[in-house]
Amino acid sequence: MGLMWLWVLIAAVLCGLALTIWGLWWLWCKVAGIGERLEGLLGRLDELAGIVEGIDPDRLDGPVGHASDKA
């Protein structure tokens, strides 16, 4: 009974180590998922920038109308 505290201490340290490893793995998976989403968002923003660069600002100064109004 005298060494029971030692076994409890070893079990607590091992459980704490296992929880720490599991927590780091979980956090790594979350960070990797956020990185993939950010890459997708940046790709879409690049596409949008290409579309916006193709817009002629001088044509935006005229009166508002639809393409069907010109026919």
Side-chain angles (χ1 to χ4, degrees), residues 6-20:
L6 182 61
W7 291 111
V8 171
L9 179 65
I10 290 171
V13 168
L14 290 177
C15 287
L17 184 62
L19 284 174
T20 301

Side-chain angles (χ1 to χ4, degrees), residues 28 43 63:
W28 177 260

Side-chain angles (χ1 to χ4, degrees), residues 5-69:
W5 65 269
L6 182 61
W7 291 111
V8 171
L9 179 65
I10 290 171
V13 168
L14 290 177
C15 287
L17 184 62
L19 284 174
T20 301
I21 291 171
W22 177 78
L24 289 173
W25 172 80
W26 179 82
L27 185 62
W28 177 260
C29 290
K30 288 292 183 183
V31 168
I34 291 172
E36 290 174 4
R37 286 184 172 187
L38 184 61
E39 287 178 11
L41 177 63
L42 291 176
R44 294 183 69 171
L45 286 175
D46 284 340
E47 291 177 16
L48 180 62
I51 293 171
V52 169
E53 286 178 358
I55 295 175
D56 184 16
D58 294 332
R59 292 182 53 200
L60 298 176
D61 290 337
V64 176
H66 297 307
S68 61
D69 294 341

